Amino acid sequence: MYPLKLLLLVCCLLSLNTLKGQSPYTRERWRPVLHFSPKANWMNDPNGLVYYGGKYHLFYQYYPGAMVWGPMHWGHAVSKDLVQWEHLPIALYPDSLGYIFSGSVVVDENNTAGLQRGKEKTLVAIYTYHDPLGEKKGTSDFQTQGMAYSNDGGYSWKKNTNNPVLKNPGIKDFRDPKVSWYAPEKKWIMTLAVADRVHFYGSTNLKEWTFLSSFGEREGSHGGVWECPDLLRIQEAAGGKEKWVLLVSIGNGGPNGGSATQYFTGHFNGQQFINEEAPEMVKWVDQGTDNYAGVTFFNAPGKHPVFIGWMSNWLYAQQVPTSPWRSAMTIPRQLKISTLHGQTRLLSEPVPAAVASLKKIVPDTREQLIENNLVAYSMDFKIDLTKYPSNDTVLIARWNNTAGDILLLRYIVSQEMIEIDRTQAGVHDFHPEFGKIIRGKRIKKSNELKIHIIMDHSSVELFADEGSLAMSVLLFPRQHLQFFSTLL
């Protein structure tokens, strides 16, 4: 290994007291301060992401009865800036039709559903009912799509009296509706995960849905069941043309094992999605181990969609050693597209507010102490790869603590591969697949490697080459990673 010849290193640190309004529970072991997590018990997929009335609403799969998966509810939190979150009461509870699985929320600007009462626009949630009794009996239609609505800006909800609004034709996995507005035809589009593909449905009133088309039978990765789709238009990073992007999470077969999220780029004509790439090509939103079921906010301000994922992996999500809660969300990210080497690629970078919330320092390249109360921070590296032999492994950074935990960041020049080595980074005996080296393949071919990192108690998120490669990784050090060095 050669010592890293740094051109630039900027480190930004965030103390536990930096984020105003944070509750004392943020001091719990491994509790993130910058990433959203529930106060207690189990959380998984983000749901119903919507911006309305100057606030971002985050709903999420939640079980208030234990720290493992159970009868699903919709938890709820709001934020003005995507950094500081206010916890709110549970939004949707299970009922006689089943558990409340994943779904989405839209703002019905034109009152297409006829539910508006007064000046406040109606927020409409479309979600999956999962009937556990039907599942136990072995039926194939135990998942249907329900509807609820809010006339007070998303703070209280009423369920549709004629649920479900979309019945199941007899398909076991029939869930996770993501609804969007298709302006050219003035209609709503529902993107639904159906077994190993996606179905598109159309509606003019959010209550009655017509099948439009199917996509994905022989496209992309099929390492697991398809889940949590999202159909959106994204502008090129340079301000050029727009393209349609379809996000699809898969339960198994991710680039580093377990669950992950793939994406397709192409065109949507109001009826069907046309993939612009070869059917066998697989592109990943995040090449790390811990970013799943991510979707975007409906109605978010700005040019670029805002994305949040569940920061875990179904391989070990129910065994991670946190308490009294399990799971956090990723940093909210802006999504863009860019043409790299003739292919359309998705770029993801932290929203500016998240980066701006960090205090900045400029360290030198020697080992330095990171104080205990400075637990969330970011770093930027710029590396001239022409200075390294083609067979070299470049040690970019090392973190450690007095408990003997070590986290390593490396680059393998010949393979154009970034490695996050968590094999010695703390507690990992809760699952055999956790303590491993996480690898991500560079997308951009250039002699300059740029890396932006955000660390927060029990996670590291890496964004390389303007976000063309993202890696989200959990870790559970026995003490805070107190020492940082760019040299071994």
Side-chain angles (χ1 to χ4, degrees), residues 88-141:
L88 295 175
I90 292 171
L92 295 175
Y93 288 79
D95 59 39
S96 61
L97 294 179
Y99 304 158
I100 311 296
F101 271 21
S102 294
S104 54
V105 171
V106 299
V107 181
D108 191 5
E109 291 283 355
N110 301 313
N111 195 27
T112 62
L115 297 170
Q116 185 171 331
R117 304 292 182 266
K119 295 182 179 180
E120 200 81 60
K121 298 296 182 182
T122 303
L123 272 59
V124 177
I126 306 291
Y127 54 89
T128 295
Y129 271 119
H130 178 95
D131 176 13
L133 298 179
E135 180 184 25
K136 188 175 182 180
K137 291 177 182 178
T139 64
S140 59
D141 60 354

Side-chain angles (χ1 to χ4, degrees), residues 323-448:
S323 180
W325 88 102
R326 277 213 174 100
S327 298
M329 298 298 180
T330 65
I331 290 289
R333 305 175 181 187
Q334 288 185 334
L335 299 184
K336 307 173 186 178
I337 56 172
S338 181
T339 302
L340 298 175
H341 314 293
Q343 295 176 340
T344 304
R345 292 290 183 171
L346 189 66
L347 312 181
S348 62
E349 296 180 303
V351 295
V355 178
S357 68
L358 305 172
K359 292 181 179 179
K360 296 182 179 181
I361 64 169
V362 181
D364 56 34
T365 59
R366 296 172 297 180
E367 184 174 77
Q368 79 174 84
L369 174 67
I370 299 174
E371 298 178 13
N372 269 335
N373 67 329
L374 299 175
V375 296
Y377 51 91
S378 71
M379 294 179 174
D380 290 283
F381 304 89
K382 188 186 293 184
I383 306 159
D384 183 358
L385 295 174
T386 64
K387 297 183 178 181
Y388 299 94
S390 60
N391 63 347
D392 196 8
T393 295
V394 182
L395 176 66
I396 299 175
R398 168 187 173 131
W399 294 262
N400 63 284
N401 57 29
T402 56
D405 301 327
I406 301 172
L407 175 69
L408 299 173
L409 176 63
R410 294 184 290 250
Y411 183 69
I412 303 174
V413 179
S414 62
Q415 300 178 37
E416 299 179 309
M417 193 80 70
I418 293 174
E419 290 188 340
I420 301 175
D421 185 345
R422 69 179 181 190
T423 58
Q424 304 176 70
V427 178
H428 58 75
D429 59 357
F430 53 88
H431 194 279
E433 290 294 319
F434 191 83
K436 62 188 297 185
I437 298 174
I438 316 303
R439 297 181 173 92
K441 180 77 171 178
R442 266 186 102 192
I443 306 300
K444 187 176 182 179
K445 313 294 183 182
S446 71
N447 289 324
E448 183 179 71

Side-chain angles (χ1 to χ4, degrees), residues 74-235:
W74 269 25
H76 189 194
V78 295
S79 173
K80 293 181 179 179
D81 59 4
L82 294 168
V83 176
Q84 299 181 60
W85 293 93
E86 176 188 356
H87 293 272
L88 295 175
I90 292 171
L92 295 175
Y93 288 79
D95 59 39
S96 61
L97 294 179
Y99 304 158
I100 311 296
F101 271 21
S102 294
S104 54
V105 171
V106 299
V107 181
D108 191 5
E109 291 283 355
N110 301 313
N111 195 27
T112 62
L115 297 170
Q116 185 171 331
R117 304 292 182 266
K119 295 182 179 180
E120 200 81 60
K121 298 296 182 182
T122 303
L123 272 59
V124 177
I126 306 291
Y127 54 89
T128 295
Y129 271 119
H130 178 95
D131 176 13
L133 298 179
E135 180 184 25
K136 188 175 182 180
K137 291 177 182 178
T139 64
S140 59
D141 60 354
F142 55 85
Q143 292 184 343
T144 58
Q145 315 317 312
M147 186 183 84
Y149 61 96
S150 172
N151 289 318
D152 63 357
Y155 291 92
S156 64
W157 292 85
K158 298 178 181 179
K159 291 174 182 172
N160 180 44
T161 55
N162 293 317
N163 276 332
V165 293
L166 179 60
K167 295 181 179 180
N168 189 323
I171 303 171
K172 180 181 177 182
D173 297 300
F174 189 77
R175 58 178 178 267
D176 308 339
K178 186 65 163 69
V179 177
S180 57
W181 178 249
Y182 187 70
E185 297 181 12
K186 296 182 179 180
K187 68 180 181 182
W188 298 100
I189 300 294
M190 180 195 295
T191 309
L192 190 71
V194 180
D196 63 347
R197 65 201 71 179
V198 160
H199 283 183
F200 296 103
Y201 293 83
S203 175
T204 58
N205 61 10
L206 293 165
K207 299 176 180 178
E208 300 164 316
W209 294 90
T210 302
F211 175 78
L212 300 175
S213 65
S214 175
F215 169 82
E217 181 180 1
R218 295 181 178 87
E219 310 262 359
S221 175
H222 289 269
V225 64
W226 282 24
E227 295 185 308
C228 303
D230 194 354
L231 178 68
L232 54 154
R233 285 180 295 182
I234 303 182
Q235 187 176 27

Side-chain angles (χ1 to χ4, degrees), residues 19-33:
L19 296 177
K20 296 179 180 179
Q22 290 288 335
S23 301
Y25 80 89
T26 59
R27 297 181 181 271
E28 294 163 356
R29 190 184 193 194
W30 296 315
R31 172 78 75 170
V33 296

